[in-house]
Amino acid sequence: MKDPLSVCTYNLLYQDLKRLSKNGEYFCKEILTVFQQRSDLEINYSKGLQKIASKLLKVSKEMCDNSSCRAWSFISDEMFSSADAHRILGNALNQDAIQEMRQILDEHSKRKRPLDNAIQKSGKLVLTNWNEQIKLKKKLMGLTREHEALFDFVEKNKHICTEKEKQKMFNRLTKSAELQARVDEEYFNVNMDGHHIRLKLENTLKTCHQIVLDLEKQRIETLSNTLEKYSLCINVYAQSIINSQSQIEQSVKEMDVETDIQSLMENINTQADDNRAEFLMTDYFEEEGKTIMSKDRRKDAIRTKLQRLQDNITKTKSDREGLEKMVKVYTEQPNFSNQKNLEETEQLLEEAVLKLDLLEATHCKLSVGLSELEGKPKPRHRFSDSITKWKDKASLVVTASIKII
């Protein structure tokens, strides 16, 4: 069975971004380990240097009091100064570089943890609704097929049956029609729910994608800041490793935060060219070319469904217009509302626009079927080329879906 999440562009982008983020997190952890070891080495070296400096100072004072011994005491002072430099360097690395990076890693870990849970929860709802639509469609197809067979049987045999038998058959036909109508309404409602659920998944993916993207930008900036602080520590406190300073300064010069962020954005956006979501459309028994249902009954059934769609289109247009007015008021009069209300209203407007597109596309698809039955030219719609049909191998049932940008 087709996986609705396998063609979700934002899901693919989010998974790619997660892989990049995981690599960046691993790199930061390795840098953190190296800096921690370097800090420990500098502090331990400082302690060792202080110990031998004390020994040298002691022996130089105890053994003699000539210029040579005083010279050695000056050397011990240099050792003490060098020990202080290494101690300050170790503490500076720990405070300025290690703590900030550890804090960023802990913060990112906490912020990323609920994202996958939210996406997994929304994805399960999409899959459940998708499977429910397929299940209800198969059920509706079967009920319609059975109803039409029963209707055909009644039509062919009512003239040779007694009144009691006729009444019995008509009762069966009435119950069959009622059951078919209930399942048809349930199928339609589940399909409408599916649009809303899929939109929630898309919005969840967009939000999570943006959060991780912002965290990655912050990580790159933190790495740049850490490298600059490391350079400063070396310049100020680590005179003993001055020979390596040119290499570190060169590394700092080569760091370009804007270029790294731009590279990240280009990597993430490579798959965003076809940012389209696929939705399952209502697909009815009456639309099939090979069916036992008569043309007139197929026409009547399709007209009924078209009227229901038109009613929904009218209502959705009204909702959209109301939301557009609210957005306009919020935008032109900022004191009338806050940013959160504006963002929520804009999101509701996006959902209304997409829902209207889906309803109009479905209306077009049914209108095409009706035109074919009536022998009229097929109507064109802006989504005509976006509607595709595919066959479920398990039941050989043809299903329609549409991709909307």
Side-chain angles (χ1 to χ4, degrees):
M1 181 178 291
K2 187 173 185 178
D3 182 4
L5 301 182
S6 64
V7 292
C8 181
T9 302
Y10 263 104
N11 185 46
L12 299 176
L13 290 173
Y14 177 73
Q15 296 304 325
D16 284 343
L17 180 57
K18 273 185 61 180
R19 284 190 285 272
L20 286 172
S21 179
K22 187 175 181 180
N23 291 336
E25 183 178 355
Y26 172 79
F27 179 75
C28 280
K29 288 180 178 178
E30 291 298 305
I31 294 295
L32 181 62
T33 300
V34 170
F35 272 22
Q36 184 65 64
Q37 292 175 347
R38 174 66 185 277
S39 175
D40 294 340
L41 286 172
E42 292 292 339
I43 293 173
N44 290 333
Y45 182 75
S46 170
K47 292 178 180 179
L49 199 56
Q50 280 184 328
K51 186 176 181 180
I52 62 174
S54 298
K55 181 181 291 189
L56 178 60
L57 180 60
K58 181 179 180 181
V59 72
S60 63
K61 287 183 177 181
E62 290 179 348
M63 296 304 295
C64 62
D65 190 26
N66 54 30
S67 61
S68 178
C69 290
R70 287 194 296 271
W72 282 108
S73 66
F74 292 149
I75 293 176
S76 66
D77 290 341
E78 183 276 331
M79 287 186 179
F80 279 120
S81 298
S82 180
D84 286 340
H86 285 284
R87 177 182 56 80
I88 293 172
L89 173 60
N91 291 332
L93 287 174
N94 186 58
Q95 294 176 4
D96 296 339
I98 296 174
Q99 289 185 5
E100 181 182 5
M101 192 175 296
R102 182 178 286 114
Q103 181 180 354
I104 289 296
L105 285 170
D106 292 341
E107 178 186 348
H108 286 193
S109 179
K110 291 178 182 178
R111 293 190 64 185
K112 288 178 183 178
R113 194 174 298 121
L115 300 183
D116 285 341
N117 293 335
I119 291 174
Q120 185 178 14
K121 183 177 179 181
S122 297
K124 284 182 178 179
L125 292 176
V126 170
L127 290 173
T128 298
N129 176 271
W130 184 284
N131 292 329
E132 188 176 359
Q133 287 191 57
I134 297 295
K135 181 180 178 181
L136 284 174
K137 181 199 166 178
K138 292 177 182 177
K139 184 177 180 180
L140 179 58
M141 289 293 184
L143 289 174
T144 305
R145 189 178 291 106
E146 292 173 3
H147 179 74
E148 291 306 311
L150 180 60
F151 180 89
D152 185 65
F153 176 81
V154 172
E155 289 295 313
K156 291 180 179 179
N157 294 278
K158 63 183 180 180
H159 63 283
I160 62 174
C161 297
T162 64
E163 289 299 320
K164 184 176 181 180
E165 290 173 335
K166 285 182 181 180
Q167 187 60 43
K168 187 177 180 180
M169 288 190 296
F170 283 132
N171 289 340
R172 286 181 58 194
L173 194 61
T174 301
K175 290 180 180 180
S176 176
E178 291 174 351
L179 178 59
Q180 180 192 17
R182 284 199 301 271
V183 175
D184 176 78
E185 187 66 21
E186 184 180 2
Y187 175 43
F188 179 82
N189 291 335
V190 170
N191 180 261
M192 291 294 101
D193 290 341
H195 299 165
H196 178 69
I197 293 171
R198 181 56 184 266
L199 283 172
K200 288 186 67 175
L201 172 63
E202 292 287 326
N203 289 329
T204 300
L205 284 167
K206 288 179 185 178
T207 301
C208 293
H209 181 274
Q210 188 59 48
I211 290 174
V212 176
L213 191 59
D214 292 340
L215 294 179
E216 284 306 291
K217 293 178 183 178
Q218 186 183 28
R219 180 185 63 77
I220 291 174
E221 292 172 349
T222 300
L223 285 172
S224 174
N225 293 338
T226 300
L227 190 56
E228 290 176 350
K229 290 177 179 178
Y230 178 70
S231 176
L232 180 61
C233 290
I234 295 298
N235 281 323
V236 176
Y237 304 114
Q239 191 66 31
S240 61
I241 55 172
I242 193 64
N243 293 333
S244 63
Q245 183 57 37
S246 60
Q247 295 179 349
I248 296 171
E249 289 179 345
Q250 184 62 33
S251 298
V252 173
K253 291 178 181 179
E254 292 177 357
M255 278 293 296
D256 189 341
V257 178
E258 296 299 326
T259 300
D260 287 346
I261 292 177
Q262 182 63 31
S263 177
L264 172 67
M265 297 299 295
E266 291 176 356
N267 199 337
I268 295 305
N269 292 330
T270 52
Q271 298 185 27
D273 296 333
D274 186 21
N275 184 18
R276 299 188 296 174
E278 185 174 10
F279 296 87
L280 202 62
M281 303 178 71
T282 51
D283 208 24
Y284 296 103
F285 180 85
E286 293 85 348
E287 296 180 75
E288 293 187 2
K290 297 180 181 179
T291 175
I292 60 175
M293 185 185 290
S294 66
K295 280 190 175 182
D296 290 337
R297 285 178 54 71
R298 289 172 66 190
K299 293 177 185 177
D300 292 340
I302 292 177
R303 290 191 185 104
T304 300
K305 290 173 172 57
L306 284 171
Q307 184 58 50
R308 178 172 62 186
L309 284 168
Q310 187 59 50
D311 294 341
N312 275 268
I313 289 172
T314 301
K315 182 180 181 304
T316 305
K317 284 183 177 179
S318 177
D319 294 341
R320 183 196 63 185
E321 292 171 358
L323 290 168
E324 288 174 343
K325 291 179 181 178
M326 290 177 65
V327 170
K328 183 177 181 181
V329 171
Y330 291 163
T331 304
E332 295 178 352
Q333 303 179 27
N335 296 332
F336 186 76
S337 183
N338 54 40
Q339 184 63 28
K340 182 178 179 181
N341 288 340
L342 175 60
E343 292 176 355
E344 291 177 350
T345 306
E346 288 177 340
Q347 182 172 327
L348 291 174
L349 178 58
E350 289 180 4
E351 293 180 6
V353 171
L354 180 55
K355 180 180 179 182
L356 182 60
D357 288 342
L358 292 167
L359 289 170
E360 289 180 347
T362 305
H363 190 282
C364 173
K365 183 172 74 70
L366 284 175
S367 297
V368 170
L370 183 61
S371 298
E372 290 177 349
L373 289 171
E374 294 177 342
K376 297 179 180 179
K378 296 180 181 179
R380 288 289 299 174
H381 190 271
R382 58 196 176 99
F383 292 126
S384 296
D385 297 331
S386 300
I387 300 174
T388 57
K389 290 195 174 187
W390 46 275
K391 183 173 293 187
D392 189 342
K393 295 181 180 179
S395 60
L396 299 181
V397 174
V398 177
T399 298
S401 60
I402 182 171
K403 285 188 176 181
I404 296 181
I405 298 177

